[in-house]
Amino acid sequence: MKILVTGGAGYIGSHTCALLIENGFSIVVADSLINSSINAINGVKKIAGKDFPFYKTDLRDEASLEKIFAAFEIDCIIHFAGLKAVGESVEKPVMYYENNLISTLNLCKCMKKYGVSKVIFSSSATVYKSDNPMPLTENASLGACNPYGWSKFMCEQILYDASVAEKDFSVVSLRYFNPVGAHPSGLIGEEPNGIPNNLMPFIAQTARGIHSEVKVFGNDYETPDGTGVRDYIHVMDLAKGHQLAIDFAQKNTGFETFNLGTGSGVSVLEMIKAFETANTLKLPYSIAPRRAGDIAISYANPEKAQKILGFKAEKTVEEMCRDTWNFQNITSKTQS
Ligand code: NAD
Ligand code: UFG
């Protein structure tokens, strides 16, 4: 089975590529490398012990994208490609809408033209309104609070409408919670450009000495220890969710959404302590003001994915911390 992986050089995409190849899928990757590098592709090839076609292509360029559809008999697409920094999306909304929407529209056009009917879409827990009761089910009310979140919301709407119009389309929208961790080999992991916005890469870089301390954004939330609570999911568990979504897309048509999370919330302070314990080190941290736009708690009700896809996140917080640090250590050695 041939899978086109857009954004396959990125964090979640590269881990999913590694898993797909390991499980016998044939892949083609298209990525503009705007937020990634060829290192990730080389890392996947090393893990897989196999070569695969890689196209440095911007999905906004319809003609270039079409060449890939013309060159391969694609059975299914996993559409990871997109810009994802919440803060940047507030500063550059037009760039975010243009990138994320045009890419998705071009993909839909190529799918129709080349008779490809299955797509797995990278959505996000940010499509849920912030005032929903926890845990979040797929029926929770939708609405975003930044352009990035709205772009995901709009892409879901585009894909839903396409699935209504094209009766053979099968769209599976996966709403990720907080992906962390790295491939156990340490050959691929999360390598954000610039200073990381997200907690886990910031923790890892602080442990490596790149930053002097972790700033804990607020300790006065209505949570057990006052710090923000999130549903962290190991990226290899997330990768597995994509393979199960491909199975589902093969047997069903229409549009379906699934939460991919563990169902458990972990606070910022708990994550710092877990990282210290798992890796026997000390992390300097201090309490800082709340970050604008953050909510106190977000975690998934993962029952629908478990019941319908057979998905269950299995890796522990300890494994998330160990694999993150393992990757960070290997990266630092190869860079020095
Ligand atoms: P990432 O930035 O590491 O990967 C995205 C990849 O898409 C990058 O390699 C980038 O170069 C590529 N890309 C962006 N625009 C492109 C374009 N126009 N044409 C071709 N390639 C393009 O991010 P990630 O964490 O791996 O996220 C993958 C997807 O999952 C994204 O769509 C993101 O919005 C979504 N998501 C991520 C998170 C998270 O916390 N990491 C949470 C929810 C949803
Ligand atoms: N945090 C800190 N210090 C930091 C970074 C984060 O205390 O340096 C805190 C935040 O305040 C929050 C928690 O750690 O309480 C997690 O923050 P992240 O930035 O790691 O993740 P978010 O939940 O804010 O958002 C992430 C992605 C979004 C995605 C969302 C849901 O950045 O793109 O998860 O999937 F949509």
Side-chain angles (χ1 to χ4, degrees):
M1 193 175 186
K2 179 79 81 191
I3 316 286
L4 169 62
V5 185
T6 77
Y11 172 45
I12 307 167
S14 58
H15 290 78
T16 305
C17 285
L19 186 83
L20 291 177
I21 299 172
E22 190 188 321
N23 291 327
F25 291 85
S26 157
I27 63 165
V28 183
V29 174
D31 196 304
S32 65
L33 301 183
I34 189 169
N35 195 39
S36 51
S37 86
I38 199 70
N39 293 345
I41 296 295
N42 294 335
V44 174
K45 287 181 180 173
K46 207 163 170 186
I47 292 166
K50 263 193 194 148
D51 202 2
F52 55 83
F54 168 70
Y55 290 84
K56 186 173 181 299
T57 303
D58 190 319
L59 267 67
R60 289 172 302 168
D61 177 354
E62 193 183 343
S64 299
L65 180 63
E66 200 178 325
K67 281 188 192 146
I68 303 174
F69 278 81
F72 299 94
E73 287 266 330
I74 295 163
D75 299 297
C76 181
I77 300 158
I78 309 185
H79 181 32
F80 291 106
L83 295 176
K84 63 160 185 176
V86 172
E88 189 183 47
S89 81
V90 175
E91 286 158 28
K92 300 173 183 168
V94 175
M95 182 173 107
Y96 267 67
Y97 287 123
E98 194 210 14
N99 191 75
N100 294 356
L101 299 187
I102 303 290
S103 296
T104 304
L105 289 167
N106 283 344
L107 210 55
C108 289
K109 285 196 252 177
C110 286
M111 285 173 68
K112 186 169 160 72
K113 189 162 175 189
Y114 288 86
V116 181
S117 58
K118 298 165 192 49
V119 60
I120 317 300
F121 175 63
S122 292
S123 190
S124 166
T126 43
V127 299
Y128 295 118
K129 273 190 180 159
S130 57
D131 57 358
N132 280 296
M134 294 295 146
L136 291 158
T137 67
E138 289 78 358
N139 295 327
S141 55
L142 300 181
C145 52
N146 54 65
Y148 165 70
W150 282 118
S151 79
K152 290 290 169 191
F153 176 94
M154 290 173 191
C155 284
E156 281 201 0
Q157 186 66 44
I158 289 167
L159 290 165
Y160 170 77
D161 289 335
S163 75
V164 171
E166 307 296 330
K167 297 292 173 229
D168 62 335
F169 265 31
S170 178
V171 180
V172 183
S173 186
L174 300 177
R175 294 174 179 161
Y176 313 151
F177 281 69
N178 289 57
V180 294
H183 193 272
S185 66
L187 290 170
I188 49 172
E190 189 170 13
E191 269 188 291
N193 291 335
I195 299 172
N197 292 304
N198 296 119
L199 180 65
M200 202 57 154
F202 200 92
I203 284 180
Q205 291 191 0
T206 304
R208 203 172 133 192
I210 296 174
H211 312 290
S212 59
E213 60 177 9
V214 178
K215 298 244 182 289
V216 176
F217 297 143
N219 66 348
D220 56 353
Y221 284 108
E222 279 192 31
T223 61
D225 65 16
T227 67
V229 168
R230 296 290 183 275
D231 186 339
Y232 297 94
I233 176 167
H234 196 292
V235 67
M236 292 311 298
D237 276 333
L238 202 59
K240 208 173 57 182
H242 292 79
Q243 193 181 328
L244 293 167
I246 294 171
D247 292 346
F248 179 85
Q250 279 184 282
K251 296 180 197 127
N252 297 277
T253 54
F255 178 90
E256 204 63 68
T257 58
F258 294 100
N259 286 340
L260 292 186
T262 64
S264 301
V266 175
S267 77
V268 177
L269 286 180
E270 282 170 339
M271 191 52 104
I272 289 174
K273 295 286 168 227
F275 196 90
E276 290 183 327
T277 308
N279 300 309
T280 350
L281 49 77
K282 218 60 204 142
L283 268 177
Y285 70 87
S286 68
I287 306 300
R290 290 182 180 195
R291 182 172 65 178
D294 271 355
I295 53 171
I297 305 188
S298 169
Y299 62 97
N301 177 330
E303 282 168 19
K304 184 179 174 191
Q306 183 165 3
K307 206 165 144 198
I308 300 177
L309 298 180
F311 174 78
K312 188 159 178 16
E314 279 160 346
K315 291 193 179 263
T316 61
V317 171
E318 190 188 345
E319 288 171 287
M320 299 175 200
C321 294
R322 228 187 303 123
D323 290 340
T324 301
W325 185 226
N326 181 39
F327 170 68
Q328 193 65 227
N329 263 328
I330 291 179
T331 310
S332 66
K333 279 181 195 126
T334 52
Q335 283 173 0
S336 58

